[in-house]
Amino acid sequence: MADISPLRDAAPLAGTGVRVAAELHANLTAPALVAHSIRKGESRLSVDGALIVRTGVHTGRSVSDKFVVDEPATTGEVWWGKVNQRLPREKFDLLKGRVQAYLQGRELFTQDLYAGADPDNRIRVRLVTTGAWHALFARNMFIRPKAEELSSFVPDYVIIHAPFFEADPVIDGVNSSSAVVLSFAEKVILIAGTQYAGEIKKSIFTVMNWILPARGMLPMHCSANIGPNEDAALFFGLSGTGKTTLSSDPTRRLIGDDEHGWGPQGVFNFEGGCYAKVIDLSQKSEPEIWAASHRFGTVLENVVADGQGRLDLTDKTFTENTRACYPVEFIPNVELSGRGGIPKNVVMLTADAFGVLPPISRLTPEQAMYHYLSGYTARVAGTEKGLGSEPQATFSTCYGSPFLPRHPQVYGKLLQSLIKKHGVSCWLVNTGWTGGAYGTGKRMSIAHTRALLRAALAGELDDVAYRTDPFFGLAIPARVNNVPDEVLDPRSAWADKAAYDAAAAALVQRFVDNFASFAEHVDDEVKAAAIKAAA
């Protein structure tokens, strides 16, 4: 190890609380970070040049280890509970000091990056980490400043990242050896005890979810793209519902695959990269993502490869939550500005594990609000630590409750006002199962889903006949070009119609029970549009 001495130019560490490093690598480019990662034994190359990494025991987010610092300036506005656990300020100060002391004198990597493609609504982020591949992940995921902007870069938020530091629950007041802690007053994020890089990405998303509502803008867990007529579309949905796949459409320009803001001028991406699930990725069905996952500069998390670096994207040895992280420009048909106009369509995606929701239905503005606040989908495994191989139906309000520092009604009211103001068309799309529940039925055809979406976004479903589903009150188109009629009716896809009725009724009751948790915060029109159990 090189001699440890104070850095003559400590600017790259400003704001981190770290004062000395054995070696400091500031704002290195992808090739240099790849070289350092391999030198350090963190990773290896695939046969195509992608960087293959393992994240150890943490192959997903540690939701029980996320905390928000309880501070006088912000405590009244935080949505406290299981999502945002309180950490006293004195415990945060202690943990922060211990992590900073751990980082002193180590080989460190820093990256200075932007979150937010809108120059008027972006934040400057500084990451300090011991991991070369984590620095590459952040460089891929966020927006890279121009070279001339780095000399005067002053961070708004700092991420202090120590993946191998182990927190002590007794000393630090946390739940385990891992901790993800946000201080909105101090503008510092601590990530300790987990190598899973998604924590870096989602901590900044949480920050944007904190900042934008105070400016009257809506932060969203959604992908976005633009059609040939400059018509923007949003795709809400949790991990595994198809946001990345369906927004990476060769007929439309991709704005971004996961996180966006909606302001007065339209939609803007928070990120400069994509973080795609790649388990069972098909070159035929998803050629853009497949190609991006097989090239130099991409980071592959927990993907299995043989001794020659040949990938096996079907192998779930480490986790089903295998991921590819790459710059957005690796997708060929991309909107490099990261910005689009006012959305014309809003699509809410769900992966219905029970196989009872239709593949597409049109929503009224009130129904759109109801489904946005409900955020129903099914986790089929892998995106969170501790989730088993069996699917779990879940309701995640605003399609992103783990990342909401404010009460869901704040975001719900913002979306409701934007939909009404701009006359946006809204759709509910089931990318989950048909013909039966998970384990019995089959996954919806990507080809059929794409055909349905293209028809909806092109306005081809504006004047077709609709029928109303008796269980969920959804308007289902009677016919869509290039999609078999029987695909549109979920009940007809089941051999056992009585079993379908029972499964649908059970899901209806789940919606009813979940709605009780936020019914008092919505207006009478949304209450009237809610799914209701049979009398």
Side-chain angles (χ1 to χ4, degrees):
M1 177 179 288
D3 291 338
I4 298 174
S5 58
L7 299 164
R8 286 183 294 177
D9 179 11
L13 289 173
T16 68
V18 181
R19 300 184 184 280
V20 296
E23 293 181 74
L24 179 63
H25 309 285
N27 293 313
L28 296 185
T29 60
L33 290 171
V34 168
H36 280 295
S37 181
I38 293 172
R39 170 186 62 81
K40 286 163 56 67
E42 299 175 345
S43 57
R44 65 188 180 107
L45 291 175
S46 76
V47 70
D48 303 295
L51 199 67
I52 304 172
V53 301
R54 292 277 308 280
T55 64
V57 65
H58 295 278
T59 58
R61 290 179 294 105
S62 298
V63 293
S64 62
D65 295 318
K66 178 185 174 184
F67 295 85
V68 173
V69 183
D70 191 357
E71 297 158 309
T74 59
T75 187
E77 298 178 62
V78 175
W79 181 36
W80 297 111
K82 292 182 178 180
V83 170
N84 301 297
Q85 301 175 89
R86 296 178 191 263
L87 188 70
R89 179 58 190 258
E90 58 271 21
K91 288 294 186 181
F92 169 70
D93 289 339
L94 178 62
L95 177 59
K96 180 180 66 171
R98 284 172 20 87
V99 173
Q100 289 167 333
Y102 168 86
L103 293 176
Q104 301 287 351
R106 296 182 183 271
E107 182 179 12
L108 300 176
F109 299 82
T110 64
Q111 286 286 315
D112 292 335
L113 303 158
Y114 294 132
D118 180 354
D120 294 329
N121 292 288
R122 68 173 33 150
I123 61 170
R124 294 162 295 191
V125 178
R126 171 164 293 159
L127 169 75
V128 58
T129 180
T130 55
W133 82 260
H134 289 101
L136 177 59
F137 174 93
R139 186 175 180 85
N140 283 352
M141 280 310 311
F142 298 114
I143 299 169
R144 296 159 291 283
K146 297 177 181 178
E148 60 268 24
E149 296 173 317
L150 291 173
S151 61
S152 59
F153 192 96
V154 177
D156 298 308
Y157 273 79
V158 170
I159 303 174
I160 304 174
H161 186 256
F164 294 102
F165 175 90
E166 293 190 359
D168 185 325
V170 175
I171 295 174
D172 301 313
V174 294
N175 295 330
S176 74
S177 60
S178 303
V180 179
V181 186
L182 289 80
S183 168
F184 293 125
E186 195 168 325
K187 299 183 177 180
V188 167
I189 300 161
L190 293 179
I191 301 175
T194 172
Q195 295 184 68
Y196 181 66
E199 301 286 14
I200 298 172
K201 164 188 165 71
K202 290 304 185 185
S203 66
I204 293 300
F205 184 40
T206 303
V207 168
M208 296 298 279
N209 282 334
W210 174 257
I211 292 173
L212 289 188
R215 303 178 183 178
M217 286 177 280
L218 176 65
M220 303 173 292
H221 187 206
C222 71
S223 57
N225 62 25
I226 309 174
N229 296 318
E230 301 301 312
D231 54 308
L234 306 179
F235 301 79
F236 286 96
L238 298 177
S239 175
T241 58
K243 292 194 317 299
T244 299
T245 297
L246 295 172
S247 55
S248 299
D249 186 325
T251 68
R252 300 174 64 86
R253 303 195 310 280
L254 178 71
I255 301 174
D257 80 325
D258 195 48
E259 302 171 6
H260 294 82
W262 187 343
Q265 306 305 315
V267 178
F268 60 97
N269 195 359
F270 291 166
E271 302 179 310
C274 300
Y275 192 40
K277 288 189 73 171
V278 294
I279 195 69
D280 295 325
L281 186 71
S282 165
Q283 185 178 12
K284 179 180 179 181
S285 299
E286 301 162 278
E288 295 84 9
I289 300 171
W290 194 94
S293 302
H294 290 75
R295 60 180 289 182
F296 181 83
T298 291
V299 176
L300 299 175
E301 275 189 332
N302 300 311
V303 172
V304 176
D306 66 14
Q308 302 301 313
R310 290 185 291 260
L311 306 181
D312 182 353
L313 298 182
T314 68
D315 195 320
K316 306 173 185 178
T317 297
F318 305 130
T319 177
E320 289 200 24
N321 190 35
T322 55
R323 295 274 181 168
C325 168
Y326 48 85
V328 71
E329 57 264 28
F330 281 15
I331 298 296
N333 195 25
V334 66
E335 176 53 52
L336 290 175
S337 72
R339 303 173 72 179
I342 299 296
K344 183 178 179 181
N345 288 277
V346 165
V347 179
M348 298 182 185
L349 301 168
T350 181
D352 174 29
F354 298 105
V356 295
L357 287 177
I360 192 167
S361 51
R362 186 161 195 164
L363 304 176
T364 66
E366 293 73 28
Q367 286 177 316
M369 274 304 310
Y370 174 82
H371 284 279
Y372 179 67
L373 289 173
S374 297
Y376 167 70
T377 192
R379 298 189 188 279
V380 183
T383 56
E384 293 180 1
K385 181 186 175 187
L387 195 65
S389 59
E390 294 298 316
Q392 295 180 2
T394 187
F395 293 87
S396 182
T397 187
C398 306
Y399 292 98
S401 63
F403 322 117
L404 303 182
R406 300 179 185 272
H407 194 280
Q409 65 176 321
V410 172
Y411 310 96
K413 289 181 178 178
L414 281 168
L415 180 64
Q416 183 178 26
S417 64
L418 288 166
I419 287 173
K420 289 186 175 181
K421 178 179 179 180
H422 299 291
V424 179
S425 296
C426 300
W427 309 89
L428 181 68
V429 172
N430 176 21
T431 62
W433 282 259
T434 182
Y438 175 87
T440 302
K442 61 181 180 180
R443 195 76 191 255
M444 292 281 183
S445 160
I446 292 178
H448 288 157
T449 301
R450 284 199 186 279
L452 291 167
L453 277 172
R454 286 171 179 168
L457 300 186
E460 295 173 8
L461 304 187
D462 291 349
D463 299 316
V464 303
Y466 285 81
R467 67 174 187 84
T468 301
D469 174 87
F471 285 96
F472 303 99
L474 296 169
I476 304 172
R479 180 162 296 177
V480 180
N481 290 335
N482 302 315
V483 178
D485 291 349
E486 59 270 19
V487 171
L488 299 173
D489 180 6
R491 190 173 188 269
S492 68
W494 284 54
D496 186 340
K497 301 301 188 288
Y500 170 87
D501 293 343
L507 183 56
V508 165
Q509 190 59 53
R510 285 175 177 260
F511 271 98
V512 171
D513 294 342
N514 179 71
F515 182 64
S517 66
F518 56 81
E520 65 179 292
H521 300 296
V522 303
D523 57 36
D524 290 340
E525 291 178 329
V526 175
K527 290 178 183 177
I531 294 172
K532 298 175 179 62

